[in-house]
């Protein structure tokens, strides 16, 4: 059984004070997280303080992006070593907002994945189709090619460190989540793509999240699916009650799946 993973992508929200306050509330609730890996991805400015606030709890911290070079003249960028230095063990790579607005490509995603893995950071790699691509029947083509590009040149022993987040772009921040069945269909295809790269046994160990308008009220629909192992959560990760509700719904659904 794969341990589910619920990650909060805070995007460009929360000052240091606000981030520490939220993290501290989550730490208080974290006795309830047993059986679910929980990761917080604050903006860079709050990472160190949030990592400090969750120290000693099971909650882990990640960056929202990273550069692939170790150091140099890359104004505005942050390296793997810098993220590790402030307490990160995870990093989100290839979020659709970075792909759409900041020039992220399949190639840069792959550079970042390889750099992260080499440094010991665990990537959460985001893939997903646009509404237009879905309507044109291109969902599988787009997602499969993004997965293949992200894992390109990654050996099996490192691939198992990775998490894939399937986030249909039309569902992100729109309040219009995918159906559980549609998300399952794409996540199953992601897993069969991983199986074609690494074999079925390895593919069974890699966790695949759903992301896009996840809320406490719809999480059961996703976590109940055989190929969905948690969620990457944006808006609903910004307050403790909703985020804890998502974690609880994940744990309940996984328990039901096991019965
Ligand atoms: P959302 O964002 O939960 O606000 O839709 C998800 C994401 O972008 O990771």
């Amino acid at each position: 059984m794969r341990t589910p993973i619920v990650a909060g992508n805070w995007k460009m929200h929360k000052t240091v004070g606000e981030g520490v306050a939220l993290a501290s509330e989550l730490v208080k609730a974290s006795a309830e997280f047993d059986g679910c890996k929980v990761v917080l991805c604050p903006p860079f400015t709050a990472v160190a303080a949030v990592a400090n606030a969750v120290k000693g709890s099971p909650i882990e911290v990640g960056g929202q992006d990273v550069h692939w070079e170790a150091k140099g003249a890359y104004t505005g960028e942050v390296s793997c070593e810098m993220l590790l230095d402030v307490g990160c063990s995870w990093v989100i790579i290839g979020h659709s907002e970075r792909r759409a607005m900041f020039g992220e490509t399949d190639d840069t995603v792959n550079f970042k994945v390889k750099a992260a893995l080499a440094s010991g950071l665990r990537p959460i790699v985001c893939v997903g189709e646009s509404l237009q691509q879905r309507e044109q029947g291109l969902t599988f083509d787009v997602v499969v090619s993004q997965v293949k590009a992200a894992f390109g040149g990654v050996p099996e022993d490192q691939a198992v460190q990775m998490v894939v987040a399937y986030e249909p772009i039309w569902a992100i921040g729109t309040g219009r989540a995918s159906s559980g069945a549609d998300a399952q269909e794409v996540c199953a295809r992601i897993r069969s793509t991983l199986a074609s790269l690494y074999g079925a046994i390895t593919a069974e160990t890699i966790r695949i999240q759903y992301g896009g308008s996840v809320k406490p009220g719809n999480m059961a629909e996703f976590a109940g699916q055989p190929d969905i192992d948690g969620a990457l959560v944006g808006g609903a990760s910004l307050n403790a009650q909703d985020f804890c509700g998502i974690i609880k719904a994940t744990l309940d659904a996984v328990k039901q799946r096991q019965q």
Side-chain angles (χ1 to χ4, degrees):
M1 227 17 218
R2 297 175 293 269
T3 304
I5 173 166
V6 173
N9 174 11
W10 293 1
K11 308 192 180 183
M12 199 170 76
H13 295 283
K14 309 261 178 221
T15 60
V16 169
E18 290 163 352
V20 167
L22 173 54
S24 306
E25 268 191 84
L26 295 170
V27 167
K28 278 191 209 133
S30 64
E32 312 281 303
F33 299 169
D34 211 21
C36 181
K37 170 70 64 195
V38 175
V39 180
L40 306 180
C41 301
F44 290 140
T45 48
V47 166
V50 167
N52 200 40
V54 302
K55 209 177 262 170
S57 85
I59 301 172
E60 296 181 12
V61 175
Q64 295 177 13
D65 190 20
V66 72
H67 196 266
W68 60 88
E69 292 290 353
K71 58 177 69 152
Y74 303 103
T75 302
E77 295 293 322
V78 162
S79 72
C80 296
E81 188 191 353
M82 291 168 187
L83 289 183
L84 288 161
D85 184 44
V86 289
C88 288
S89 39
W90 297 87
V91 61
I92 297 170
I93 295 175
H95 191 279
S96 65
E97 286 153 15
R98 300 230 52 95
R99 293 181 192 253
M101 293 186 274
F102 304 102
E104 189 87 275
T105 65
D106 280 343
D107 283 342
T108 60
V109 167
N110 182 243
F111 294 155
K112 291 175 180 189
V113 162
K114 287 194 277 202
L117 289 166
S119 77
L121 282 172
R122 301 184 66 176
I124 298 173
V125 176
C126 304
V127 299
E129 83 287 0
S130 66
L131 186 58
Q132 197 187 16
Q133 288 164 333
R134 172 157 286 260
E135 284 170 348
Q136 291 172 344
L138 296 173
T139 299
F140 288 149
D141 290 349
V142 169
V143 169
V144 167
S145 84
Q146 287 175 335
V147 169
K148 285 186 174 163
F151 282 78
V154 175
E156 186 179 344
D157 64 316
Q158 292 194 332
V160 296
Q161 298 297 320
M162 293 172 60
V163 170
V164 180
Y166 166 57
E167 299 203 303
I169 296 167
W170 45 270
I172 295 176
T174 59
R176 188 187 151 198
S178 169
S179 73
D182 284 350
Q184 162 58 25
E185 195 180 32
V186 180
C187 291
R189 182 61 73 96
I190 291 171
R191 199 172 303 288
S192 68
T193 304
L194 295 172
S196 75
L197 298 172
Y198 301 106
I201 293 170
T202 297
E204 281 300 316
T205 69
I206 299 175
R207 287 174 292 187
I208 303 172
Q209 298 171 312
Y210 168 76
S213 298
V214 172
K215 304 274 177 290
N218 63 16
M219 186 61 208
E221 193 180 335
F222 301 108
Q225 305 292 340
D227 286 296
I228 300 180
D229 310 306
L232 182 56
V233 186
S237 73
L238 297 175
N239 78 77
Q241 201 184 345
D242 284 351
F243 195 55
C244 288
I246 289 167
I247 295 163
K248 186 177 180 312
T250 303
L251 285 165
D252 289 348
V254 168
K255 247 178 246 150
Q256 260 181 357
R257 233 161 88 179
Q258 281 165 339
Q259 276 162 13

